[in-house]
Amino acid sequence: MMQHNLEHTISLLTGTPAALNALLRHLPEAWTFRNEGENTWSAFDVVGHLIYGERIDWIPRARFILQFGETRTFEPFDRQGHVCESRGKSLVQLLDEFAGLRADNLDKLRALNLRQGDLERRGRHPAFGAVTLSQHLASWAAHDLTHVHQISRVMAHQYRQAVGPFRAYLGVLHCSGHSSP
Amino acid sequence: MMQHNLEHTISLLTGTPAALNALLRHLPEAWTFRNEGENTWSAFDVVGHLIYGERIDWIPRARFILQFGETRTFEPFDRQGHVCESRGKSLVQLLDEFAGLRADNLDKLRALNLRQGDLERRGRHPAFGAVTLSQHLASWAAHDLTHVHQISRVMAHQYRQAVGPFRAYLGVLHCSGHSSP
């Protein structure tokens, strides 16, 4: 298990838009617009949520930590914030929007030119209290992975019946949805 | 939840090599060569396993069903079969090999020109007994998703400590490894 490493985080964050694009862009809506049942997300919803995080969460909170430290608490993040913004858009539009925002945000992250001392600075999370900038940035990478994990599960769910007895060997069909919103 | 649809299966199978390539190719080995502990797989191991399945499992068993029906049982699949074959190769080599084999296999699948009656044909699985060709092919797609799910979990595991209190919100870190080999 590794310590947080800013270059490793940037590497991971760099690849996610292209990975989701390759996974989803060419698929019929039968894969990308279906969810796991009431109040769950489709792949389309997840990409909308990732966009919302790019706009509202990761870089804004990083700057907030650097500016205010523990003296001010982050604004709570709205987990349904993407719903209105995604409405009427296509998945292709969302994938392009995510890729553009992520590239801009990685430019902004590099421009912060963070040193070890910066990464150890603390902010105040509304639920967790003190968190470090390092933890916040590591979570940005792990959050991408949480949603890749979720998308693979939501899509596999669509074939739960179709696979018949093979479901016993398909681990993704045994996932209990811990990465639901 | 949808019935098995061969075109949907082919769509899903088409995208996986490029998705894994975009997710993994540029990453440092700190992400791709670490696993979740003894007797678990790294992303590198998973790509090796996917290659082995392309060679030994999916198209060969589909042909076996069409040729022998339920009169002969599939050869058991060796879940460690990839280990020797991957040894000494780089992840980039494996990603390229997987992409090439998958493209060839999708050509072979299309060339079978399967009709509904073919999809309902049954073969004999060593553990499950009678399985249909439709179930076998749906499982090929869901198997890709199982391993995307696994790779995202294995990589997120590397940041389990680094994310600090945020782990409470990161569903992938609550996944109990049901898609381990």
Side-chain angles (χ1 to χ4, degrees):
Chain A
M1 216 172 300
M2 57 184 170
Q3 298 297 307
H4 180 233
N5 175 307
L6 185 57
E7 286 311 309
H8 291 171
T9 294
I10 291 173
S11 291
L12 194 297
L13 292 170
T14 301
T16 309
L20 292 181
N21 194 62
L23 191 67
L24 300 176
R25 191 180 193 98
H26 63 291
L27 290 182
E29 293 188 356
W31 285 119
T32 58
F33 276 71
R34 296 192 194 189
N35 61 21
E36 297 174 292
E38 200 174 358
N39 294 322
T40 66
W41 288 359
S42 66
F44 176 86
D45 296 322
V46 173
V47 179
H49 166 76
L50 289 169
I51 287 170
Y52 194 72
E54 291 303 301
R55 295 208 305 95
I56 304 294
D57 187 342
W58 305 108
I59 289 292
R61 282 191 178 179
R63 289 175 166 162
F64 199 87
I65 293 171
L66 293 170
Q67 187 170 1
F68 299 111
E70 294 186 72
T71 65
R72 284 179 56 184
T73 302
F74 306 154
E75 290 293 314
F77 181 81
D78 179 0
R79 294 197 194 187
Q80 297 301 324
H82 63 281
V83 175
C84 292
E85 297 190 7
S86 297
R87 200 164 285 153
K89 294 183 181 172
S90 69
L91 178 58
V92 166
Q93 281 176 294
L94 293 191
L95 288 165
D96 289 343
E97 191 175 343
F98 177 49
L101 286 166
R102 173 58 59 87
D104 288 349
N105 280 335
L106 290 176
D107 287 344
K108 288 173 185 165
L109 177 61
R110 288 190 198 91
L112 291 174
N113 195 24
L114 297 170
R115 309 301 170 94
Q116 192 54 40
D118 300 315
L119 292 169
E120 290 163 10
R121 290 198 59 186
R122 290 170 188 277
R124 184 158 296 281
H125 187 279
F128 304 135
V131 292
T132 65
L133 180 55
S134 173
Q135 289 166 343
H136 173 73
L137 295 174
S139 298
W140 190 2
H143 181 265
D144 275 12
L145 294 168
T146 270
H147 289 293
V148 171
H149 186 259
Q150 181 183 18
I151 286 172
S152 63
R153 189 191 71 231
V154 172
M155 296 207 299
H157 176 76
Q158 311 311 321
Y159 265 11
R160 181 175 291 273
Q161 296 305 323
V163 300
F166 289 99
R167 79 177 65 89
Y169 286 175
L170 294 163
V172 68
L173 296 176
H174 301 236
C175 184
S176 55
H178 35 240
S179 60
S180 285
Chain B
M1 217 172 299
M2 55 184 172
Q3 298 297 308
H4 180 234
N5 175 307
L6 185 58
E7 286 311 308
H8 292 170
T9 294
I10 291 173
S11 292
L12 195 294
L13 292 170
T14 301
T16 308
L20 292 181
N21 194 62
L23 191 67
L24 300 175
R25 192 180 191 97
H26 63 291
L27 290 182
E29 293 188 357
W31 285 119
T32 57
F33 276 72
R34 297 193 193 189
N35 62 20
E36 297 173 291
E38 200 174 356
N39 294 322
T40 66
W41 287 0
S42 66
F44 176 86
D45 296 323
V46 173
V47 180
H49 165 76
L50 289 169
I51 288 170
Y52 194 72
E54 292 302 302
R55 294 207 306 95
I56 304 295
D57 187 343
W58 305 107
I59 289 292
R61 282 191 177 178
R63 289 175 166 162
F64 199 86
I65 293 171
L66 293 170
Q67 187 170 1
F68 299 112
E70 294 185 71
T71 64
R72 284 179 56 184
T73 303
F74 306 155
E75 290 294 314
F77 181 82
D78 179 0
R79 296 197 192 186
Q80 298 300 324
H82 63 281
V83 175
C84 293
E85 297 191 6
S86 297
R87 201 165 283 153
K89 294 184 181 172
S90 69
L91 178 58
V92 165
Q93 283 175 292
L94 293 191
L95 289 165
D96 289 343
E97 191 175 343
F98 177 48
L101 287 166
R102 174 59 58 87
D104 289 349
N105 280 335
L106 290 176
D107 287 344
K108 289 173 185 165
L109 177 61
R110 288 191 197 92
L112 291 175
N113 194 25
L114 297 170
R115 309 302 169 94
Q116 191 56 39
D118 301 315
L119 292 169
E120 290 163 10
R121 292 198 58 186
R122 290 169 187 279
R124 185 157 296 281
H125 186 281
F128 303 136
V131 292
T132 66
L133 180 55
S134 174
Q135 290 166 343
H136 174 72
L137 296 174
S139 298
W140 191 3
H143 181 264
D144 275 12
L145 293 169
T146 271
H147 288 294
V148 171
H149 186 259
Q150 181 184 20
I151 286 173
S152 63
R153 188 191 71 230
V154 173
M155 295 207 300
H157 176 77
Q158 311 311 321
Y159 264 11
R160 183 175 290 273
Q161 296 304 324
V163 300
F166 288 99
R167 80 176 65 88
Y169 286 174
L170 293 163
V172 69
L173 296 176
H174 300 234
C175 184
S176 55
H178 34 240
S179 60
S180 284

